[in-house]
Amino acid sequence: MNEIQNVPMRRCCGCMKSFPKTELIKIGGRDGYACIDIADREKGRGVYVCKNLTCIEKAEQRRAIGRNLHTNIPADMLADIFEELRTMVNADK
């Protein structure tokens, strides 16, 4: 018999569409600290973004990372995160 597998779905903070968790990039954060969480091991809250530049730009414009992590992230840390996200997406092309 065919077994139905539950695929964890997460919502992109840029386009607000749901995708399988494995297709998105996770940003983990807590206590005023945030980082890209490739291994999905960071404790605390997480926010997800699609692996395309349009969604990354939308998330940056909306200030979605700090808001969704429910913490105040320093501007220089956010700038570094978005720069690293852009680098990751461009490297995949």
Side-chain angles (χ1 to χ4, degrees):
M1 288 191 344
N2 292 339
E3 292 184 29
I4 298 174
Q5 291 185 346
N6 264 346
V7 177
M9 301 291 282
R10 298 293 183 265
R11 185 173 298 219
C12 171
C13 67
C15 65
M16 302 306 291
K17 294 180 183 175
S18 292
F19 297 97
K21 185 177 173 181
T22 57
E23 294 180 15
L24 301 170
I25 301 170
K26 180 183 178 188
I27 296 111
R30 65 176 180 192
D31 302 329
Y33 173 77
C35 66
I36 296 174
D37 186 10
I38 300 296
D40 197 15
R41 302 271 184 207
E42 188 71 31
K43 293 184 180 185
R45 296 187 67 86
V47 63
Y48 294 82
V49 66
C50 291
K51 296 177 182 177
N52 69 55
L53 291 175
T54 304
C55 288
I56 292 169
E57 296 298 325
K58 285 182 183 179
E60 186 173 25
Q61 289 171 356
R62 293 179 182 164
R63 299 179 187 148
I65 292 178
R67 186 175 64 246
N68 288 320
L69 292 176
H70 299 264
T71 187
N72 235 351
I73 308 294
D76 59 336
M77 186 180 294
L78 280 174
D80 291 343
I81 289 170
F82 282 112
E83 187 60 37
E84 190 174 344
L85 286 170
R86 287 184 194 95
T87 305
M88 288 172 63
V89 169
N90 286 332
D92 286 345
K93 289 183 179 180

